[in-house]
Amino acid sequence: MTDTTTAQSTPAASPTPRVDATPEGAARLDPYLRFWNAATSGEADRLAQQVFTSGVEYRAHIGVLQGAQALLDFREQFLSHMGDIALRMREQPQLHHDSARLEWELLTGGAGDAGTSFATGTDVIRFEEDGRISTVTVFLDRAPEGFGTAAHD
């Protein structure tokens, strides 16, 4: 960058450290992870009512889902197809005002961390004033093997 008043070159600013990645972010997103990892549909239903607004919007490669019931239905359908899964954080989540960025890994075929890595991604999550989630935008960082988005347009 050039300083126009003295015509001297000044170094570019160094990248901002990830100071917003804190354990508080993990605690704020714990109910969201518990929803995806719920052991029973009853537990998932209870968590959905606590975690999501009634009109939550979930945007992913598979499409746009609207409402907590649509998320519950998707979760159940995914589990019936995939079997045992576990959604885990890859990094401490980053918080920025009413939004969070959650980097995750989806494991299949084993309880807890003993499974096989199926996919990785990043969810951008928006919170309402009451702390519930109103929007989730899903990005796949590493898609499942054989996954093509053309089939989901």
Side-chain angles (χ1 to χ4, degrees):
M1 191 162 32
T2 303
D3 181 340
T4 56
T5 59
T6 62
Q8 293 179 354
S9 183
T10 58
S14 61
T16 304
R18 295 172 69 164
V19 296
D20 55 348
T22 64
E24 290 80 18
R28 189 162 186 193
L29 287 165
D30 181 61
Y32 177 73
L33 291 169
R34 286 192 333 227
F35 165 77
W36 290 110
N37 293 319
T40 67
S41 58
E43 180 184 2
D45 185 54
R46 182 184 55 77
L47 286 163
Q49 303 315 310
Q50 294 172 1
V51 172
F52 303 113
T53 62
S54 61
V56 63
E57 184 174 274
Y58 184 84
R59 298 179 156 273
H61 288 83
I62 54 125
V64 178
L65 305 176
Q66 299 250 319
Q69 187 60 52
L71 273 173
L72 281 162
D73 293 345
F74 170 67
R75 180 188 173 281
E76 290 303 312
Q77 184 179 33
F78 189 79
L79 286 172
S80 71
H81 179 70
M82 295 301 299
D84 219 6
I85 66 159
L87 186 68
R88 300 285 184 249
M89 288 188 299
R90 291 187 289 144
E91 300 283 336
Q92 288 289 343
Q94 294 179 316
L95 298 178
H96 189 288
H97 294 89
D98 63 354
S99 298
R101 181 167 71 175
L102 171 66
E103 296 177 64
W104 51 261
E105 179 177 33
L106 184 61
L107 304 171
T108 62
D113 294 324
T116 302
S117 182
F118 179 71
T120 61
T122 301
D123 288 358
V124 178
I125 297 168
R126 182 161 188 261
F127 297 97
E128 292 302 310
E129 286 185 22
D130 66 2
R132 293 187 303 153
I133 295 171
S134 60
T135 308
V136 179
T137 304
V138 179
F139 294 89
L140 287 176
D141 299 335
R142 181 181 47 79
E145 189 174 316
F147 181 80
T149 58
H152 301 284
D153 289 339

